[in-house]
Amino acid sequence: MATPAEETTPAVVLIDAEGTVIGWTRAAEELSGYRAQDILDRPAATLLPQADREDAVRRLAAREHWSGVAEIRHRDGHRVVVRVEGARLATAPGRDAWLVSATPAVVDLSGGTGTLLESLISRFPVAVAIWDLDLRCVWLNAEAERLSDVFPHYRLGRSLNELIPGVDTRSAKEAMRRVLSDGEPMIDREARWTSADGREERTLSTSLFRLEGTDDRPLGVCSLALDISHSRARDRLALLREASIRIGTTLDVEKTAQELADLAVPVLADYVTVDLAESVVPGGEPLQRLASTEESIPVFRRAGVASVYGGTPESLWPLGQAVFVPPSSPFTRVLVSGRSHFEPVLDTSPGTWLDQDPDRARVIHGTGMHSLIIVPLQARGDILGVAVFVRHHNAARFMRDDLILAEELAARAALSLDNARRYTRERTAALALQRDLLPRNLRGGDAVEVASRYLPSGVGVGVGGDWFDVIPLPGAGVALVVGDVTGHGINAAATMGRLRTAVRTLAYLGLPPDELLANLDDLVVRLAEEDAGADGLPLGATGATCLYAVYDPATRRCTMATAGHPPPALLRPGGSVTYPCLPSGTPIGLGLSSFKSIDLELDPGTVIALYTDGLIETREADLDAGMERLAAALAQGALPLESLCSSVISAILGDTPAEDDIALLLARTRATG
């Protein structure tokens, strides 16, 4: 029976100044396999692996006393891990020598063919290494050697103090020294290491433990490193982090559904569909009007699909089309119950629901689909549709962890879908109200020729309260109006309708522009007070900017005033574009009534361009830059007004969606006798 290492008689070796063995004990013979006559008068380096010899000589020469964990080479070739202590001796002639003692670091149960450490740890799926007090690697297993590409200090005899280009070991050294100093283990220290060529990156979870001798003195550090680069748990966390970034980037239902499908392929599934209820995907023929049979009924519309194969050959229905399912299928059960369907091994045998769905059965058999998850898309108590996850290319079946991940992804997507649905409903209603309240047939009579454009925002901020109007006045004159209500949505559209009606009413009284704006400001203040809530604060949008201009073709005079609105652009018949300097007025609704009018004389054929700030202002450019772009676009004044309207919008926006609502009104002046 083997004797524990702590009870083993130390092997004692005496080495002279030249590094020659001059003393040898029976314990040294048992430990190394060398008899005294085989080793005496030979270099002590004979006992060491080739990589350690040069360093051992340097260590002996540099210290009075040293200890640590090391490897010696047994006579039959295998290596033995030992605890070593050395002390400098002074001999009679005054020459130095060293007394070295060594004991096995582990129990040897292998009959001399290897140590217990080697037999148990060499094939252990965790990188194990032993470092001495100088942070030099004195032992490591095969798993550690495999990681040497990203952590080159996993080499026998290599110290963490050794500088290697591209490898920063400062934090590793600090951690080991701290463990050596206080003896407290360090558990699960995560770090990333990259290979010298930069092609490979590994994430290692490392734990450190201090190795101690029988006298409790530290001998070195044992490190255990687990490669978690491809850990399933790590991949799932990364996927969920990515989901928070990639799902719900817009308030568009179809885009959100497609984002879910694209994210899950191929990380989770080989084929994913997202099918939504009709109430979530408006438009198209109502599902209730589509023909159904005893075998299949139209339940969803396809909103998202992705596959590891190009062209999604597995999908029976293209995006936007109605999806038919058998009444007794797992799709309808999920829709009714609100619980996921988990079928790790898809049952395609006769007698299942697939008998009622031969088209799906054909695709399933043709592609080799073998594992299925169907998850309801639920948000705020409503089931919006289902997400279907399938594997056919990946031979591994879905596990319970995959189901949990699919449900988490579906839950995040459902919230984004519900937000998009609510936004779409409100936007549709607001846009319908906005368009209904805007004038349909603008006529400038004998005073002006007119053309206009209205574009709702295309980036999700909601429909605003932009408006324009052309109001024939008594006589031959005409009033031109453009305005922009504060806020977005139905309230802003409704406020716009009230202001447009009020401006028309005041215009028929023949008020000059400054007085009209003052009366409009007073009216809005009183309406806000009447509509205020219990706390005295307004319940909806109340403020607005407005530009009001009156043109008389008989005198060719144009009188205008502004309430916080950008000035009009004037395109002269010669092609020059100018912006008149209007006295700045406060926006409507503040109750300040600081408005002043100016008079301009316009040549016949002058184009007056009234607009809202959505045309000239963007996140990247201020008002001045936008006004310069508008002037350049208007310089094509020879075009008919309708064509000029389209040209201006195209020149400024291009293919970019409008960041805010845009109202544009062009009026070309005429002159009468």
Side-chain angles (χ1 to χ4, degrees):
M1 179 177 295
T3 304
E6 287 78 359
E7 300 177 5
T8 301
T9 302
V12 178
V13 181
L14 190 61
I15 304 172
D16 68 9
E18 282 75 32
T20 302
V21 177
I22 59 175
W24 193 254
T25 65
R26 178 57 180 246
E29 178 179 332
E30 293 175 352
L31 182 63
S32 68
Y34 288 94
R35 296 175 300 174
Q37 57 266 37
D38 300 326
I39 196 67
L40 287 174
D41 297 326
R42 294 183 60 187
T46 304
L47 300 169
L48 300 176
Q50 186 68 37
D52 295 345
R53 295 178 179 178
E54 191 173 311
D55 177 67
V57 174
R58 180 187 59 80
R59 192 184 306 185
L60 282 173
R63 295 186 180 180
E64 295 292 330
H65 179 275
W66 52 269
S67 63
V69 179
E71 282 188 340
I72 64 171
R73 188 165 59 89
H74 196 275
R75 185 175 185 180
D76 62 13
H78 78 271
R79 297 184 179 187
V80 180
V81 179
V82 294
R83 290 196 296 265
V84 183
E85 295 209 19
R88 187 190 298 271
L89 299 177
T91 61
R95 299 181 61 188
D96 289 337
W98 287 270
L99 181 68
V100 179
S101 67
T103 55
V106 294
V107 180
D108 188 350
L109 298 178
S110 57
T113 59
T115 66
L116 177 63
L117 184 63
E118 290 172 335
S119 62
L120 294 181
I121 302 181
S122 61
R123 291 186 296 272
F124 196 58
V126 175
V128 182
I130 296 177
W131 312 80
D132 66 11
L133 297 176
D134 291 330
L135 306 185
R136 178 175 287 94
C137 181
V138 296
W139 190 92
L140 74 166
N141 68 349
E143 188 67 22
E145 291 178 349
R146 280 192 286 270
L147 293 175
S148 61
D149 287 344
V150 294
F151 191 65
H153 290 81
Y154 275 144
R155 291 279 196 279
L156 281 175
R158 180 164 284 174
S159 171
L160 288 179
N161 297 308
E162 182 177 345
L163 298 178
I164 298 178
V167 180
D168 185 0
T169 60
R170 284 177 297 178
S171 61
K173 289 189 294 186
E174 290 173 1
M176 285 194 182
R177 286 169 179 158
R178 190 158 54 248
V179 170
L180 281 172
S181 174
D182 58 29
E184 289 293 327
M186 184 171 293
I187 309 298
D188 196 19
R189 174 181 172 273
E190 185 173 317
R192 291 186 179 182
W193 300 94
T194 305
S195 61
D197 57 9
R199 296 180 180 179
E200 186 178 8
E201 182 180 89
R202 299 287 185 91
T203 301
L204 304 181
S205 174
T206 305
S207 298
L208 303 175
F209 307 88
R210 189 169 78 177
L211 300 175
E212 298 174 347
T214 55
D215 54 0
D216 295 329
R217 285 193 302 173
L219 301 175
V221 176
C222 177
S223 66
L224 286 77
L226 179 64
D227 185 0
I228 60 173
S229 307
H230 305 292
S231 163
R232 288 175 60 85
R234 187 178 184 84
D235 289 344
R236 293 175 193 280
L237 289 175
L239 184 61
L240 291 177
R241 285 196 296 267
E242 194 172 357
S244 64
I245 300 173
R246 290 179 50 184
I247 297 179
T249 59
T250 67
L251 288 171
D252 184 281
V253 171
E254 287 87 353
K255 287 184 178 179
T256 301
Q258 188 60 47
E259 286 167 351
L260 170 59
D262 291 337
L263 178 66
V265 174
V267 178
L268 177 61
D270 301 323
Y271 170 59
V272 174
T273 61
V274 181
D275 300 328
L276 302 178
E278 180 182 11
S279 60
V280 185
V281 188
E285 186 176 1
L287 295 177
Q288 293 83 352
R289 297 182 185 177
L290 299 179
S292 61
T293 66
E294 294 182 358
E295 289 76 24
S296 63
I297 55 177
V299 178
F300 309 106
R301 288 195 182 276
R302 181 133 299 168
V305 60
S307 170
V308 293
Y309 299 131
T312 61
E314 310 95 327
S315 181
L316 294 171
W317 297 277
L319 292 174
Q321 293 298 308
V323 176
F324 289 76
V325 299
S328 60
S329 69
F331 303 98
T332 52
R333 289 198 296 272
V334 169
L335 194 61
V336 172
S337 68
R339 294 190 297 270
S340 300
H341 174 79
F342 178 54
E343 197 170 356
V345 179
L346 182 59
D347 186 3
T348 59
S349 62
T352 66
W353 63 275
L354 287 172
D355 292 346
Q356 304 174 31
D357 200 338
D359 291 335
R360 273 196 179 86
R362 186 186 71 255
V363 172
I364 288 173
H365 289 295
T367 59
M369 296 181 183
H370 62 86
S371 200
L372 172 68
I373 292 176
I374 305 175
V375 181
L377 297 167
Q378 301 183 75
R380 300 180 177 95
D382 293 336
I383 296 182
L384 312 179
V386 296
V388 183
F389 304 84
V390 178
R391 280 184 180 171
H392 50 64
H393 180 72
N394 185 349
R397 66 183 186 180
F398 286 123
M399 307 298 287
R400 282 286 172 184
D401 287 347
D402 297 314
L403 172 63
I404 295 172
L405 179 59
E407 289 177 335
E408 181 65 26
L409 293 177
R412 299 190 181 202
L415 287 176
S416 296
L417 286 168
D418 188 58
N419 290 335
R421 174 184 64 161
R422 292 168 181 262
Y423 164 77
T424 301
R425 285 178 176 175
E426 181 177 342
R427 176 182 170 83
T428 301
L431 185 57
L433 178 62
Q434 176 92 347
R435 292 190 184 280
D436 189 60
L437 293 175
L438 287 172
R440 289 183 174 84
N441 299 306
L442 295 177
R443 293 184 177 88
D446 295 333
V448 291
E449 173 194 357
V450 293
S452 63
R453 291 290 186 276
Y454 170 74
L455 279 76
S457 166
V459 295
V461 296
V463 175
D466 295 17
W467 94 93
F468 51 82
D469 207 350
V470 178
I471 308 170
L473 300 177
V478 65
L480 306 174
V481 190
V482 66
D484 186 357
V485 173
T486 303
H488 298 86
I490 292 178
N491 289 337
T495 301
M496 178 273 290
R498 299 168 75 178
L499 292 182
R500 178 175 173 243
T501 301
V503 170
R504 276 187 164 258
T505 302
L506 294 171
Y508 294 145
L509 298 177
L511 298 176
D514 55 343
E515 292 185 24
L516 183 143
L517 292 178
N519 281 272
L520 183 64
D521 180 60
D522 182 60
L523 175 63
V524 170
V525 170
R526 280 186 287 150
L527 288 175
E529 293 173 351
E530 294 173 4
D531 295 341
D535 55 2
L537 298 176
L539 297 178
T542 56
T545 63
C546 184
L547 176 67
Y548 183 78
V550 175
Y551 176 70
D552 185 351
T555 62
R556 294 187 288 111
R557 298 192 67 81
C558 182
T559 305
M560 60 182 68
T562 180
H565 202 84
L570 301 179
L571 172 62
R572 306 288 181 175
S576 63
V577 177
T578 60
Y579 291 93
C581 183
L582 298 178
S584 60
T586 57
I588 299 296
L590 298 181
L592 300 178
S593 299
S594 57
F595 311 111
K596 293 182 180 180
S597 300
I598 65 167
D599 289 331
L600 301 174
E601 183 174 336
L602 303 180
D603 295 329
T606 299
V607 175
I608 307 172
L610 287 77
Y611 52 89
T612 55
D613 58 4
L615 182 67
I616 60 173
E617 187 176 25
T618 65
R619 294 186 181 92
E620 289 76 24
D622 58 14
L623 290 175
D624 292 338
M627 293 170 72
E628 291 179 4
R629 290 198 305 271
L630 176 59
L634 284 170
Q636 311 171 59
L639 297 174
L641 278 193
E642 288 292 337
S643 300
L644 184 58
C645 259
S646 300
S647 176
V648 168
I649 296 294
S650 177
I652 293 180
L653 292 184
D655 297 329
T656 306
E659 295 182 5
D660 196 1
D661 286 20
I662 292 176
L664 175 64
L665 174 64
L666 300 183
R668 180 175 280 136
T669 61
R670 295 169 175 159
T672 59

